[in-house]
Amino acid sequence: MTALTLSSSSAATLRADVVVIGIAKSGKPNGTPSVAPGAEAVEKAFGGKLGATLETLGASGGEGEVTKLPAPDGLKAPVVLAVGLGDAPADGASFSPESLRRAAGSAARALTGTAKAGFALPLTDGAESVAAVAEGALLGAYTFRAYRSKGKDKGKNGAKDSGAPLAEIAVLGAKSRDKQHKAAAERATVLAEEVARARDLINMPPNDLYPGTFAEQAKAAGKEFSVKVEVLDEKALAKGGYGGILGVGQGSQNPPRLVRLSYTHAKAAKTLALVGKGITYDSGGISLKPAGHNETMKCDMSGAAAVFSAVVAAARLGLKVNVTGWLALAENMPSGNATRPGDVLNMYNGTTVEVLNTDAEGRLVLADALTRACEESPDAVVDVATLTGAMVLALGNRIFGIMSNDEAFRAEIHETAEQAGEQAWQMPLPVELRKGMDSPVADIANMGERMGGGLVAGLFLKEFVSEGTPWAHLDIAGPAFNESGPFGYTPKGGTGSAVRTLVRLAERTADGALG
């Protein structure tokens, strides 16, 4: 993991390979970009002509734009990297935390293979700005190289690993002895490491990550961070009557698991339950996915990865809240033993479900886990899942949907996501769509009307939440796996979507800001 330090050194005197500065758009067509606060020493070294020099090189200050140039005399670092912050704030206001996160992430991605970089970005909002720069840079420095053969990413003459992530980040202008700055950096480190944990899990190939090995990873992390972990194997699931999880997993040679993670704090006043969909590979089952839709289905456990990482983060941060995490793990495969369209499953709460489409399997494993989570009477329940393609059609690839049985709680989750820097949108649960899931042979079917399919899935899950328990459903099908090019602090592949929102939710719950 990339190292993070806070440094009071000047951008001129820091010994590093690169100094990162921020620039913003001038607001005028073809205008000279403005140099953001924090880069005063660099501006001085360029004789006050840094903006004009960057304009000559084609820089505009647009968000995420990266421009490298040789450093002049007066700087210890040999290279200056200017990263675009987008439009300059009006009336002398500060750059938003998300602008800083994205800029720092873009810079860190551009510095792959670099040993040390000093980030001289604006810290005008004190600890909040320190947190944003640190978090964005650490998230942007992420790379997944576990399956790269040795030497494949070596540079010239094998002297330098050009594919290695940026090794050290120094946040310039931050004070290592300032309690708020130090706390901000420590939180950013934990958050980035846990997002990286989720990303690593999502990026692992399904021949290595299946329900059993996922459960083993949870047990190992639990031992390391004092999180209690309980694992129900296929025998325990059968004995307990978890028909949804068993029904989805019965077609695979890798049997399903239900994992319970528990972090408790002696002074906690509330308990938050998190439930994650963990389909380690989704072929669609008997309702096989068409060609071109299977290649990324290792990411269908992104919800469980987010829940796992969020519980561990809560433990590492010592939050004054009790958090339980439920990982509903199964591999959805076709075989002679697989669930068929038309089969009826007996769920954990006694509900019978007619399976009309075996590719609508996520809601089946979540239903059992939601019922089990509600048995412990938490103050609120949140489930996270790459649940429906319909949500991607509705909100695109960067925004997750929020549904809830409580409008106030739904709004709180949305606000929490915005605070965390994750894009989300509130979605309804129209009661008229429930009728489409009526079954002639069972209590409910796992499919309903095609139009509004993401909302139908939410209505199905709602059936398995205890009355009176605030519940929210996060459909992260769009942002969980980035198939296009990287941007900001978001890499290609697994993104760790919803981890930061869940951690922020746990923090707000601990602080008494929710409910």
Side-chain angles (χ1 to χ4, degrees), residues 36-52:
E40 291 81 5
V42 179
E43 171 79 345
K44 182 178 179 181
F46 275 90
K49 297 181 179 180
L50 178 55

Side-chain angles (χ1 to χ4, degrees), residues 99-192:
S99 293
L100 294 176
R101 271 191 290 263
R102 292 181 180 182
S106 294
R109 284 193 300 102
L111 294 173
T112 298
T114 304
K116 182 177 181 178
F119 282 67
L121 295 175
L123 301 181
T124 49
D125 284 337
E128 184 178 22
S129 297
V130 171
V133 171
E135 185 181 321
L138 288 170
L139 290 172
Y142 172 84
T143 60
F144 182 71
R145 295 166 11 105
Y147 292 84
R148 297 282 185 179
S149 58
K150 292 182 179 179
K152 189 171 183 179
D153 288 318
K154 288 290 181 69
K156 291 181 179 179
N157 302 318
K160 188 176 182 182
D161 189 348
S162 60
L166 172 61
E168 183 180 350
I169 294 163
V171 181
L172 304 184
K175 302 172 183 177
S176 59
R177 295 186 180 181
D178 183 293
K179 290 184 178 179
Q180 290 184 326
H181 287 196
K182 185 178 179 181
E186 290 174 349
R187 179 186 182 275
T189 299
V190 169
L191 207 57

Side-chain angles (χ1 to χ4, degrees), residues 75-280:
L75 297 183
K76 295 289 186 182
V79 176
V80 172
L81 185 151
V83 62
L85 288 158
D87 294 329
D91 303 322
S94 300
F95 288 95
S96 71
E98 184 61 9
S99 293
L100 294 176
R101 271 191 290 263
R102 292 181 180 182
S106 294
R109 284 193 300 102
L111 294 173
T112 298
T114 304
K116 182 177 181 178
F119 282 67
L121 295 175
L123 301 181
T124 49
D125 284 337
E128 184 178 22
S129 297
V130 171
V133 171
E135 185 181 321
L138 288 170
L139 290 172
Y142 172 84
T143 60
F144 182 71
R145 295 166 11 105
Y147 292 84
R148 297 282 185 179
S149 58
K150 292 182 179 179
K152 189 171 183 179
D153 288 318
K154 288 290 181 69
K156 291 181 179 179
N157 302 318
K160 188 176 182 182
D161 189 348
S162 60
L166 172 61
E168 183 180 350
I169 294 163
V171 181
L172 304 184
K175 302 172 183 177
S176 59
R177 295 186 180 181
D178 183 293
K179 290 184 178 179
Q180 290 184 326
H181 287 196
K182 185 178 179 181
E186 290 174 349
R187 179 186 182 275
T189 299
V190 169
L191 207 57
E193 288 179 353
E194 292 310 319
V195 170
R197 182 194 302 277
R199 289 173 174 177
D200 284 349
L201 286 166
I202 297 163
N203 288 327
M204 282 182 68
N207 58 318
D208 280 349
L209 188 73
Y210 44 89
T213 53
F214 198 141
E216 289 302 316
Q217 292 223 20
K219 288 166 68 175
K223 184 178 293 186
E224 182 178 359
F225 298 110
S226 300
V227 172
K228 186 177 179 181
V229 179
E230 303 169 58
V231 179
L232 297 184
D233 62 14
E234 66 273 27
K235 293 181 181 178
L237 290 170
K239 184 177 180 181
Y242 293 87
I245 298 175
L246 286 167
V248 172
Q250 71 187 41
S252 172
Q253 64 179 5
N254 297 310
R257 298 284 186 269
L258 177 62
V259 178
R260 179 185 184 272
L261 302 134
S262 177
Y263 159 68
T264 58
H265 192 286
K267 296 183 179 180
K270 290 190 175 182
T271 297
L272 182 64
L274 308 176
V275 180
K277 173 188 173 184
I279 304 300
T280 57

Side-chain angles (χ1 to χ4, degrees), residues 409-467:
F409 189 50
R410 182 182 64 190
E412 288 175 339
I413 297 290
H414 187 202
E415 181 181 70
T416 300
E418 289 184 329
Q419 290 178 4
E422 297 198 272
Q423 293 178 275
W425 197 250
Q426 298 182 56
M427 303 295 284
L429 289 175
V431 293
E432 62 271 17
L433 291 179
R434 169 60 183 84
K435 184 175 178 57
M437 290 184 285
D438 286 348
S439 165
V441 298
D443 297 326
I444 190 172
N446 77 329
M447 293 291 289
E449 293 184 27
R450 180 170 176 268
M451 300 301 168
L455 313 182
V456 170
L459 285 166
F460 180 90
L461 295 177
K462 183 175 178 285
E463 298 278 323
F464 297 87
V465 178
S466 298
E467 188 174 350

